[in-house]
């Protein structure tokens, strides 16, 4: 079949996203065809569209927080059928043969997992285009089921912002008796608060904004520490078992290391790039503290996360936009002016 698809794409690093059309591939035997209803807007989309990492191939269609309905399935697909509500996250393929893949940790594939957009298909070499589009075709192995009754538009950001914060909390076995702090109250940070609280931890928000306390407590924080207040930071010294640092820009992490307890771990989730200013090793050594990072979880863990959200009434706080407003949304996102995730109503593509 010929599947001409409307989308929005970046044509260069310094131009706005604009209408774009391309052809989706035919269904393979293990594929699921999805009519996209909603797509979350991730900070990674902005980074990629503007080539901040230096490897973007244009044109690029961003979007890896995708929720939609199945419209067709390949001949070997048994677990999905037309009409099912499903999701697609940050990756759409992997080698399926290395140790991480066999363990269900596809994002850590030693041959590199195939991102949902901005890369090349492992089988035919065609570019992968993401969720700022009418539809997508994905292997059933990289498709997850949206639990019945879950709000679809609020579920979309769970496919990135949700699993990015859920996965490290599960990996480090966070639960009752742990003290967890979250740095930054954005798309990742607000989900980190919700998950840590639902897992039974005592939760603290680090923020530079004193006016965020009430909102942080609404989202699950037991305590709020103003990171610009030296007295409050000193009082928090040696306190936390785990810190989720969700800030996407370079910033000084040394003050947060000082608040880790003995054997504590600071987990960098927002920053892509070098730590600047550098880490001081002595505080790490004297407390046997660790600085770590984490990718999104594998497909099985993503499904587990969605089911956890359904069981605990957790969704992402979203602001709906039409695709025609994406460039303004990028500008607002750079200013931190979103509570807490933009989600595109993909029906608006029909207006293009």
């Amino acid at each position: 079949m010929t599947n001409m698809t409307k989308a929005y794409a970046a044509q260069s690093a310094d131009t706005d996203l604009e209408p774009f059309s391309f052809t989706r591939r035919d269904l393979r035997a293990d594929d699921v065809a999805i009519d996209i209803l909603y797509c979350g807007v991730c900070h990674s989309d902005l980074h990629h569209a503007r080539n901040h990492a230096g490897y973007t191939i244009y044109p690029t269609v961003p979007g890896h927080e995708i929720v939609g309905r199945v419209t067709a399935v390949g001949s070997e697909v048994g677990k999905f059928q037309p009409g099912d509500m499903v999701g697609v996250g940050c990756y759409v393929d992997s080698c399926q043969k290395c140790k991480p893949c066999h363990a269900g940790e596809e994002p850590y594939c030693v041959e590199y997992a195939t991102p949902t957009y901005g890369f090349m298909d492992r089988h035919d070499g065609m570019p992968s285009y993401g969720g700022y589009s009418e539809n997508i075709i994905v292997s059933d192995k990289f498709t997850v089921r949206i639990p019945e009754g879950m709000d679809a538009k609020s579920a979309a950001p769970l496919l990135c912002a949700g699993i990015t914060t859920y996965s490290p909390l599960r990996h480090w076995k966070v639960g009752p008796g742990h003290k967890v702090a979250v740095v930054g109250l954005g798309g990742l940070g607000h989900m980190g608060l919700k998950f840590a609280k639902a897992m039974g931890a005592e939760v603290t928000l680090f923020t530079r904004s004193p006016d965020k306390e009430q909102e942080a407590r609404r989202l699950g924080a037991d305590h709020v520490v103003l990171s610009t207040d030296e007295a409050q930071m000193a009082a928090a010294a040696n306190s936390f078992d785990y810190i989720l640092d969700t800030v996407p820009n370079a910033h000084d992490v040394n003050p947060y290391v000082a608040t880790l307890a003995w054997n504590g771990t600071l987990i960098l989730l927002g920053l892509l790039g070098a730590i600047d200013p550098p880490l001081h090793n002595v505080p790490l050594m004297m407390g046997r503290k660790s600085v770590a990072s984490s990718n999104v979880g594998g497909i099985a863990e993503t499904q587990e996360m969605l089911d956890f959200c359904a069981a605990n009434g957790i969704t992402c706080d979203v602001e709906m936009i039409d695709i025609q407003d994406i460039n303004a949304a990028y500008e607002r996102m750079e200013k931190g002016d979103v509570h807490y995730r933009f989600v595109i109503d993909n029906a608006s593509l029909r207006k293009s």
Side-chain angles (χ1 to χ4, degrees):
M1 62 182 179
T2 300
N3 191 352
M4 184 60 69
T5 300
K6 287 184 177 180
Y8 259 58
Q11 298 286 349
S12 70
D14 54 2
T15 56
D16 285 348
L17 275 72
E18 59 185 24
F20 174 69
S21 294
F22 65 95
T23 302
R24 289 285 186 195
R25 69 168 186 261
D26 291 346
L27 277 175
R28 298 171 185 149
D30 65 342
D31 274 340
V32 177
I34 302 165
D35 181 13
I36 301 174
L37 301 177
Y38 305 106
C39 183
V41 180
C42 177
H43 214 278
S44 298
D45 299 347
L46 185 154
H47 283 313
H48 191 82
R50 296 187 175 166
N51 200 23
H52 289 165
Y55 56 74
T56 302
I57 301 171
Y58 296 99
T60 187
V61 177
H64 58 204
E65 298 177 341
I66 298 167
V67 169
R69 287 197 181 277
V70 176
T71 57
V73 298
S75 60
E76 296 178 1
V77 176
K79 60 181 179 179
F80 298 109
Q81 59 186 0
D84 287 347
M85 187 73 76
V86 296
V88 178
C90 298
Y91 296 98
V92 293
D93 206 353
S94 68
C95 80
Q96 299 290 297
K97 59 187 180 183
C98 68
K99 187 173 181 180
C101 286
H102 283 166
E105 298 278 10
E106 296 91 350
Y108 302 100
C109 175
V110 297
E111 294 184 8
Y112 299 102
T114 304
T116 304
Y117 66 84
F119 210 69
M120 299 295 173
D121 187 280
R122 308 177 82 88
H123 305 283
D124 60 22
M126 297 297 290
S128 57
Y129 291 133
Y132 294 11
S133 59
E134 293 181 295
N135 53 61
I136 193 167
I137 294 176
V138 185
S139 166
D140 62 343
K141 298 181 182 66
F142 286 79
T143 305
V144 292
R145 187 177 301 279
I146 303 300
E148 186 175 354
M150 179 175 281
D151 180 63
K153 60 183 180 295
S154 300
L158 297 176
L159 280 304
C160 177
I163 190 59
T164 297
T165 47
Y166 181 90
S167 186
L169 292 171
R170 276 293 189 236
H171 175 76
W172 274 278
K173 298 180 173 57
V174 167
H178 287 133
K179 292 184 177 181
V180 175
V182 175
V183 183
L185 189 57
L188 294 180
H190 93 288
M191 292 307 306
L193 292 178
K194 291 183 179 186
F195 282 136
K197 184 67 173 180
M199 292 174 183
E202 182 179 335
V203 187
T204 296
L205 174 72
F206 283 114
T207 179
R208 301 177 63 183
S209 304
D211 59 352
K212 288 187 177 179
E213 179 167 358
Q214 183 176 354
E215 177 71 354
R217 292 186 183 279
R218 178 186 73 82
L219 294 166
D222 299 295
H223 315 284
V224 177
V225 173
L226 191 61
S227 59
T228 55
D229 187 311
E230 292 184 6
Q232 290 189 34
M233 292 296 287
N238 304 307
S239 295
F240 302 109
D241 301 296
Y242 303 101
I243 300 175
L244 301 183
D245 187 330
T246 69
V247 177
N249 304 311
H251 58 288
D252 191 356
V253 301
N254 291 287
Y256 302 113
V257 170
T259 69
L260 287 172
W262 172 58
N263 285 333
T265 302
L266 171 68
I267 307 161
L268 298 174
L269 299 178
L271 179 64
L272 297 176
I275 296 173
D276 185 26
L279 273 168
H280 295 290
N281 183 56
V282 172
L284 296 176
M285 177 181 65
M286 296 306 293
R288 200 162 61 194
K289 302 174 181 181
S290 301
V291 175
S293 191
S294 175
N295 202 345
V296 298
I299 303 305
E301 188 173 57
T302 301
Q303 187 65 64
E304 175 191 305
M305 178 271 304
L306 289 168
D307 295 339
F308 180 88
C309 288
N312 290 276
I314 296 173
T315 56
C316 187
D317 291 24
V318 304
E319 179 178 340
M320 299 301 299
I321 62 169
D322 288 346
I323 190 65
Q324 292 80 8
D325 300 321
I326 188 61
N327 295 299
Y330 276 13
E331 292 178 6
R332 287 182 54 193
M333 191 161 56
E334 286 190 299
K335 299 174 183 176
D337 179 22
V338 53
H339 295 87
Y340 286 96
R341 205 71 158 189
F342 289 118
V343 172
I344 299 165
D345 181 351
N346 283 49
S348 61
L349 276 162
R350 291 194 288 271
K351 302 176 186 177
S352 300

